[in-house]
Amino acid sequence: MKKIVALFGSRRKNGNTVSFVKAILGYLPKDECDIEYIFPQDFKISPCIGCGNCFEQIQCIAKDELYILQKKILDSDLLIVASPVYLHYMSADLKLILDKCSWWTHTLRLQGKPTVVLSTCDSNGHRTVIEPLSKIITYMGGNVIATSNASQYPERLNNNTWLNSVSIEISQRIIRYLYLPPQSNVFLEEYFLQNLLFCEVEFVFKFLFENVKNSGENVIVINENIALVFFISVVLNLKNQYFFIF
């Protein structure tokens, strides 16, 4: 039995976002999938205070129920994250959950977990949730296998032809990835290489500065230039060249 967790940014258990997700999951074999729907009000999660302790202790220090939600996500075989469009972005409830899991971006904690990213809207904001949310999931190590937005105008939520077509396509991807080992993708690998690059450069800078801190200003300048040359050489030797904006 494969475990699927559907995490909603909406508190409405009979709203458009839930209807969209259920339309997709309705095509999955019921005897092979155990589906759990999770709503923001199901857990007591305190606000993020920006203390940064989670990055050092690899867990939030707040005494709330976040760890229960995190375990459900990590124990799942596939994750669905769905949110209505609120002010051209995901809901505040979903953003809070992601903020509290932000240390996952430093450890790629989702480890290739297949993830479907969905949103619903009235008449605009068709990509203002699925695009940034897909990036966040990728930064957390997830493998986004499908994204879609269902709107009221143009009519999609109540358009059975469109809804069935999208639901069948996404459900087929879900079934395929449920039985595959964790997969990578080009976006996840790009993020990993960028993190690796910056870690290497940071290490070189620290090494150089620690070894010349008592040698005088001119030596430090020379070693800063050496570090810069090293940085450029690493960038140019990557299989795919990336451009960084500082």
Side-chain angles (χ1 to χ4, degrees), residues 63 116 136 165:
K63 304 301 181 182
V116 176
I136 291 172
S165 175

Side-chain angles (χ1 to χ4, degrees), residues 39-53:
F39 296 87
Q41 64 268 34
D42 294 343
F43 299 92
K44 295 180 180 178
I45 300 178
S46 58
C48 175
I49 61 173
C51 65
N53 283 304

Side-chain angles (χ1 to χ4, degrees), residues 1-244:
M1 185 72 73
K2 295 296 183 178
K3 179 68 176 182
I4 297 175
V5 165
L7 174 62
F8 293 94
S10 172
R11 292 174 174 255
R12 298 177 58 198
K13 296 191 175 183
N14 296 308
N16 289 332
T17 307
V18 175
S19 297
F20 186 28
V21 172
K22 286 186 174 181
I24 295 170
L25 297 182
Y27 284 94
L28 300 182
K30 294 180 175 58
D31 59 338
E32 297 180 21
C33 300
D34 177 21
I35 303 170
E36 182 175 5
Y37 298 102
I38 296 178
F39 296 87
Q41 64 268 34
D42 294 343
F43 299 92
K44 295 180 180 178
I45 300 178
S46 58
C48 175
I49 61 173
C51 65
N53 283 304
C54 60
F55 295 105
E56 297 179 358
Q57 302 186 27
I58 60 172
Q59 64 180 354
C60 180
I61 63 172
K63 304 301 181 182
D64 57 17
E65 297 179 339
L66 176 68
Y67 72 97
I68 302 175
L69 172 57
Q70 289 177 328
K71 188 175 188 308
K72 288 180 177 292
I73 292 173
L74 295 175
D75 287 346
S76 68
D77 296 295
L78 183 137
L79 174 65
I80 297 174
V81 187
S83 175
V85 176
Y86 289 166
L87 197 60
H88 279 254
Y89 203 57
M90 69 188 76
S91 70
D93 280 321
L94 180 56
K95 183 60 167 60
L96 170 61
I97 293 171
L98 296 174
D99 282 344
K100 298 269 284 186
C101 298
S102 58
W103 64 270
W104 285 6
T105 63
H106 285 208
T107 60
L108 302 177
R109 190 66 182 88
L110 292 179
Q111 299 178 339
K113 187 182 298 294
T115 305
V116 176
V117 175
L118 304 171
S119 66
T120 57
C121 67
D122 188 10
S123 60
N124 52 58
H126 299 278
R127 306 196 66 81
T128 59
V129 168
I130 58 176
E131 287 185 350
L133 186 51
S134 294
K135 287 183 180 180
I136 291 172
I137 294 298
T138 299
Y139 296 159
M140 289 182 172
N143 179 23
V144 178
I145 63 171
T147 67
S148 184
N149 175 78
S151 60
Q152 296 272 20
Y153 308 99
E155 190 173 276
R156 290 180 173 178
L157 281 167
N158 299 313
N159 182 334
N160 288 332
T161 300
W162 181 90
L163 189 59
N164 290 337
S165 175
V166 170
S167 298
I168 291 172
E169 169 63 26
I170 295 178
S171 64
Q172 289 176 345
R173 293 190 195 182
I174 289 175
I175 293 171
R176 183 165 69 251
Y177 278 90
L178 273 176
Y179 291 93
L180 290 174
Q183 303 287 307
S184 182
N185 61 51
V186 63
F187 305 106
L188 183 55
E189 290 171 6
E190 177 181 339
Y191 178 67
F192 175 78
L193 285 174
Q194 288 177 3
N195 271 357
L196 181 63
L197 171 63
F198 283 114
C199 287
E200 289 182 356
V201 171
E202 183 181 15
F203 171 79
V204 169
F205 268 95
K206 287 182 177 179
F207 175 80
L208 291 174
F209 293 159
E210 286 175 0
N211 282 276
V212 302
K213 60 184 177 182
N214 297 319
S215 301
E217 183 178 352
N218 291 334
V219 178
I220 294 177
V221 171
I222 291 173
N223 282 280
E224 283 178 342
N225 291 332
I226 293 173
L228 180 59
V229 170
F230 172 81
F231 176 86
I232 294 173
S233 67
V234 171
V235 173
L236 294 180
N237 280 284
L238 288 175
K239 183 178 180 181
N240 297 312
Q241 293 186 12
Y242 303 105
F243 295 91
F244 300 91

